[in-house]
Amino acid sequence: MDRVPALEEPLKKLLGGPTAKVMAEHLDLHTVGDLLHHYPRRYEERGQLTKLAELPLDEDVTVVAQVADARVHTFNGGRGQRLEITITDGSGRLQLVFFGRGIHKPHKELLPGSRAMFAGKVSMFNRRMQLAHPTYAKLGADAAEGDDTADIDSWAGALIPIYPACKGLESWKIAKAVDAVLPSAQEAVDPLPESLREGRGFVPLPEALLKVHRPHTKADIEDARQRLKWDEAFVLQVALARRRHADGQLPAVARRPAPGGLLDAFDAKLPFTLTEGQEKVSAEIFDDLATEHPMHRLLQGEVGSGKTMVALRAMLAVVDSGGQAAMLAPTEVLAQQHHRSITEMMGELAEGGLLGGSEQGTKVVLLTGSMGMPARRQALLDLVTGEAGLVIGTHALIEDKVQFHDLGLVVVDEQHRFGVEQRDALRGKGKQPPHLLVMTATPIPRTVAMTVFGDLETSVLDQLPAGRSPIASHVVPAQDKPHFLARAWERVREEVYKGHQAYVVCPRIGDDEEEAKTAKGKKKAEEAETADKRPPLAVIETAGQLAKGPLQGLRVEILHGRMQPDDKDAVMRRFGAGEVDVLVATTVIEVGVNVPNATAMVIMDADRFGVSQLHQLRGRVGRGSAPGLCLLVTDMPEASPARARLNAVAGTLDGFELSRIDLEQRREGDVLGQAQSGVRSSLRMLTVIDDEEVIAAAREEAVTVVAADPELDRLPGLRTALDALLDKDREQYLDKG
C-alpha cells in the first residue's frame, strides 16, 4: 500500500538481476514494497495434502503430495527413457513424467514414501492428467542436507505459504525472496488513522505483513487478512470519497420538468404503463436533476428492462427545463437504432419546429462520423442554436467542432465501451458541468459498482416489462458430440419455417490482411496461451459454409464492424423487415439491436466470449411474444473451466448472478485504472464479491474522515498510502470520473 524509502528499494539490489527481471516482467513486482504486498494465495499444512482430485486442466499448479511409486520405461528400442512417478494425496493420484537425461535426479530423489511440493502445468495424456517435468522441492526430513531447497522446512513453520507464481519462478523461490525483504516490513508506514485501527482492533501494519507471509497459526493468517483487506478497501474508498467531496463543491444548473410540458405530453401518449422499477428509478433521477450540483448516477439493469425509456424521460425533463440532452452510443448501428426508436416513441413530439410537429416538441438529431456533410452541418447548427433538444450520437459528439447551446444532461449508453477521456470530453461541453447518467445492461454486483464506480450513485432495474419471453439456453459440445451441432442447424431451420429469424455470432470478421496485422500486434503471452487452439471462427467464412451447407436455401446475410455504415444500416433494416432469415454477425449486434421476430441465436466458439458478453448477446432473442433459443457452441472438453463458464450461462437468465460468476473468474481488473480486464488488479487481498461488508464499512469510515479533513493534512500516513495507490494515470482517471 504505502511506499517509504526502505519499501521503495528496487528488488534488483536485494535479489539480483535475473530474479528481479522475472518478477518485474511476469508479476509486475519492482520494489521491496511490491513484493511485501504480493501475498500468499493459500497455505499448505504439513500432514494436510492438497486435493489432486480437483486440479484444473491447463493451469499452473503447486501441490504437496507423497510419492506412491516410480518406474522407468524405455522406448525407441531402448534408446529413449521415460520416468513415470505416481503421487497421491488421499483424494486422488497424479502422474509426473520426466524424459531423457532429466530423469536421473528425480529418480534418485523422489523415492516411494517421500513428500515434496511439485509445481507445473496440468496437461492431459491418454485421458489421464499429468505434470510433465515439474519442478519440485522436497519437504521435511526428506530434504537432503546442503540442498538449496532443504531449508524449505525452516521457513515454512507449520504453514507453507503458496504464492501466485509464474513460469521460471516457483512459489518456494518467491518465498525465499520474501525472506530477504521481510525485515523492511518494520518500516511500513500505517495508513489507517490510529483511532480507526484501535477502534476495530486491527494489528499494526508491520505485524500484519509479518503474519501474512510467515504465519505460525491460522489465527495469524486471519489477523493479517482482516487488516490488509481493510487497508485496501479504506484507501480506495478515501480516494473515491475525496472525488465525491470535490464534485459536491461543483455548481450545476438544477433541471426540473415544467408541468404540462414535453415530459407530460410524452407520458400521456405512452401505450403502456411504466413498471414499478421504472417509476422508482425515474423518481431517483428527477430528484438528482433538481439539485444544484452535478448528478452522477449509474443505471444498471437487465437486457430489456427498459433503461432507454427511463433515460429518455430524464432527457425530456431536461429539455422541458430549457436545456439539451445528449446520448452517447458505442457504435453507429446502436446510435441509429436509438435515434429510430426514440423518434418513433415520441412521434410528433420529435418534430419540434417542423410542419405537423407538436408545439411542445423538440428536434431530435443524429450525429455520427459517417454522415454526409449537408446533414452533418444541419445537425451541428441545430445543436449550437438550441433548436435540437435531443442529440443521439457516437464518438462524433466529442469532436471539438460540436458545440451545444446549453448541455444539461449526458447519457452514456454501455459505459464499459467508453474510455473515461471520452465521457469527460462530452461533459466538458456544458457551460457548467452537466448532469451525468451512465447506463449498462451488464448487471454489476452492488459492491463492484461501489468500488469501480465509487463516485456514482446506483439505480437498479431488475424487473422485465410485460410481454418479454423466456430464453432457453443450451451448450452444444461440437467436438464431443458432432450430431448436436447438426441438430442446432436443424433447430435454426425450424425457427425460420415458423416465420422467425436467427442470429449466428462469430468472434472474428474474416481472414484478411487487416485482421492479420491486428493478430500480429497481440501480446506474446496471449499467443502462447492459444498456440494449441485453432483460429477463432470468422463471419465471412462461416456465412459461406452455412449458405452452401446446413442452411442452404435460407436467406443468409452478414454484418460486421468493417462494413460501410450505410451497408450496415441497410442490412439491419432488411433484417428488421424480415427480408433476411439468418444474420451471421460479430458482436456488433451485442447491444441495443431490437428485432422482436428473431427467436434463435447460435454463438460459435462461445468459450471465447466473457460471461457478461454472452448474456448480452443472448438478450437479442426472445424480445417478442415467441420464446427465444440460444445455443452455445464450443470445442472445449467437458472438464475445462471454459465449459463450466458456459454451463453457468446456460443455467441461469439472472444477469446479476452471472456477473458475480464473471467477476469471480476474471477478478476486478485495476479498479482505479483503465485495465478493467482482470489482468492487473490493484486489489491484492480484497475481493469485491466476498468482501461486500468490508467495502461498505470502509466507505462509511472514509466519508467521515474526508468530511473532517478533505486534504488529509492530519493523516500523513494515509496521504502517503493514497499517493502510492494513485499514480499519475489513476489520479487523472479518478479526476475524470
Side-chain angles (χ1 to χ4, degrees), residues 386-626:
E387 190 80 14
L390 302 184
V391 57
I392 292 109
T394 55
H395 300 79
L397 281 176
I398 297 164
E399 290 168 14
D400 292 342
K401 280 182 236 159
V402 180
Q403 291 181 320
F404 289 85
H405 178 64
D406 179 15
L407 181 61
L409 170 66
V410 173
V411 177
V412 180
D413 192 17
E414 285 313 315
Q415 182 275 335
H416 63 282
R417 298 289 197 89
F418 289 99
V420 172
E421 285 80 7
Q422 294 160 321
R423 298 207 313 259
D424 189 53
L426 188 50
R427 276 164 65 183
K429 290 184 180 291
K431 292 188 178 79
Q432 284 190 324
H435 298 280
L436 175 71
L437 179 65
V438 166
M439 300 197 295
T440 178
T442 308
I444 306 158
R446 190 174 61 87
T447 37
V448 188
M450 272 171 58
T451 311
V452 182
F453 308 107
D455 58 344
L456 296 174
E457 296 301 322
T458 306
S459 294
V460 176
L461 274 177
D462 48 14
Q463 269 178 306
L464 287 188
R468 293 299 300 265
S469 300
I471 305 167
S473 305
H474 304 283
V475 178
V476 177
Q479 193 78 8
D480 306 351
K481 299 176 178 169
H483 60 287
F484 275 36
L485 183 58
R487 175 70 188 123
W489 301 126
E490 281 174 23
R491 284 293 288 113
V492 170
R493 294 190 86 95
E494 286 165 14
E495 288 301 308
V496 173
Y497 292 153
K498 285 182 198 164
H500 299 307
Q501 293 157 280
Y503 298 99
V504 176
V505 181
C506 301
R508 210 161 53 95
I509 295 173
D511 209 10
D512 62 8
E513 283 175 35
E514 201 171 324
E515 221 160 54
K517 279 182 211 158
T518 314
K520 269 187 191 169
K522 284 202 172 173
K523 292 177 188 166
K524 283 180 185 172
E526 216 171 273
E527 285 169 11
E529 196 185 317
T530 56
D532 52 341
K533 290 184 185 173
R534 59 161 172 73
L537 291 171
V539 166
I540 295 166
E541 287 85 350
T542 303
Q545 289 160 5
L546 291 174
K548 288 179 193 151
L551 302 184
Q552 196 171 3
L554 302 187
R555 297 169 296 177
V556 177
E557 290 207 27
I558 63 172
L559 181 72
H560 58 73
R562 283 211 303 272
M563 289 165 62
Q564 288 301 314
D566 288 351
D567 296 342
K568 280 192 282 198
D569 199 36
V571 169
M572 276 316 299
R573 279 176 188 278
R574 285 200 297 278
F575 190 63
E579 294 161 19
V580 175
D581 298 321
V582 180
L583 188 62
V584 184
T586 56
T587 54
V588 72
I589 61 150
E590 181 185 343
V591 287
V593 173
N594 184 21
V595 180
N597 192 45
T599 53
M601 175 176 285
V602 181
I603 303 178
M604 308 303 291
D605 284 339
D607 49 277
R608 296 180 190 252
F609 299 97
V611 168
S612 296
Q613 201 172 25
L614 290 169
H615 183 58
Q616 283 271 39
L617 285 165
R618 168 171 67 184
R620 300 306 107 211
V621 295
R623 298 180 78 86
S625 53

Side-chain angles (χ1 to χ4, degrees), residues 149-179:
T149 58
D151 59 351
I152 197 163
D153 209 34
S154 62
W155 61 252
L159 293 155
I160 304 167
I162 306 292
Y163 288 90
C166 62
K167 194 173 168 64
L169 203 62
E170 295 84 6
S171 172
W172 50 86
K173 288 183 183 166
I174 294 171
K176 283 194 146 189
V178 169
D179 275 344

Side-chain angles (χ1 to χ4, degrees), residues 116-401:
M117 290 170 87
F118 302 93
K121 193 167 194 171
V122 184
S123 58
M124 189 75 89
F125 182 71
N126 277 348
R127 302 194 78 80
R128 287 168 70 190
M129 282 192 175
Q130 65 170 29
L131 296 182
H133 282 278
T135 50
Y136 61 90
K138 296 182 71 182
L139 291 178
D142 295 324
E145 277 303 315
D147 183 344
D148 66 352
T149 58
D151 59 351
I152 197 163
D153 209 34
S154 62
W155 61 252
L159 293 155
I160 304 167
I162 306 292
Y163 288 90
C166 62
K167 194 173 168 64
L169 203 62
E170 295 84 6
S171 172
W172 50 86
K173 288 183 183 166
I174 294 171
K176 283 194 146 189
V178 169
D179 275 344
V181 303
L182 211 45
S184 302
Q186 292 309 320
E187 297 190 41
V189 174
D190 205 318
L192 294 190
E194 201 172 330
S195 57
L196 192 159
R197 198 184 78 226
E198 288 173 359
R200 291 189 174 264
F202 291 136
V203 298
L205 181 58
E207 189 184 327
L209 290 170
L210 205 61
K211 282 182 166 177
V212 80
H213 289 292
R214 298 294 171 262
H216 294 297
T217 62
K218 285 184 177 174
D220 283 352
I221 299 169
E222 193 49 37
D223 283 352
R225 280 190 163 155
Q226 286 308 324
R227 166 64 219 252
L228 295 168
K229 275 181 182 182
W230 250 89
D231 278 19
E232 288 185 1
F234 180 69
V235 176
L236 181 59
Q237 289 296 354
V238 165
L240 297 170
R242 290 183 76 215
R243 167 81 189 130
R244 285 194 302 276
H245 184 270
D247 274 346
Q249 315 304 307
L250 290 175
V253 179
R255 308 283 180 176
R256 297 181 183 88
L262 183 55
L263 178 62
D264 284 352
F266 176 74
D267 283 349
K269 67 194 287 298
L270 277 181
F272 53 82
T273 53
L274 298 175
T275 65
E276 202 179 309
Q278 286 174 318
E279 294 274 18
K280 178 175 150 288
V281 169
S282 288
E284 290 169 354
I285 292 170
F286 290 150
D287 286 349
D288 283 0
L289 289 174
T291 60
E292 290 180 355
H293 59 86
M295 166 175 83
H296 287 142
R297 189 165 283 278
L298 173 71
L299 171 56
Q300 57 180 53
E302 280 288 11
V303 174
S305 58
K307 291 181 301 301
T308 309
M309 173 60 69
V310 169
L312 175 57
R313 294 183 74 243
M315 291 166 84
L316 296 177
V318 169
V319 175
D320 259 354
S321 72
Q324 291 168 294
M327 181 184 273
L328 187 59
T331 64
E332 294 213 350
V333 168
L334 187 52
Q336 286 162 339
Q337 181 98 20
H338 274 320
H339 182 255
R340 203 174 302 136
S341 64
I342 283 172
T343 47
E344 278 169 15
M345 281 195 280
M346 287 177 65
E348 74 280 3
L349 295 173
E351 295 164 1
L354 301 178
L355 203 62
S358 163
E359 59 184 67
Q360 290 155 315
T362 187
K363 228 177 186 184
V364 181
V365 302
L366 175 69
L367 190 65
T368 65
S370 66
M371 281 168 73
M373 270 323 286
R376 187 178 174 76
R377 238 184 248 118
Q378 185 59 53
L380 291 173
L381 187 65
D382 288 341
L383 288 179
V384 77
T385 59
E387 190 80 14
L390 302 184
V391 57
I392 292 109
T394 55
H395 300 79
L397 281 176
I398 297 164
E399 290 168 14
D400 292 342
K401 280 182 236 159

Side-chain angles (χ1 to χ4, degrees), residues 632-667:
L632 307 167
V633 180
T634 179
D635 282 348
M636 298 305 281
E638 199 166 350
S640 63
R643 275 287 280 281
R645 206 167 66 235
L646 295 181
N647 289 337
V649 175
T652 179
L653 289 172
D654 182 342
F656 288 85
E657 178 57 33
L658 287 174
S659 67
R660 293 184 87 93
I661 292 166
D662 199 18
L663 195 75
E664 280 163 4
Q665 292 187 339
R666 293 187 307 128
R667 290 293 318 263

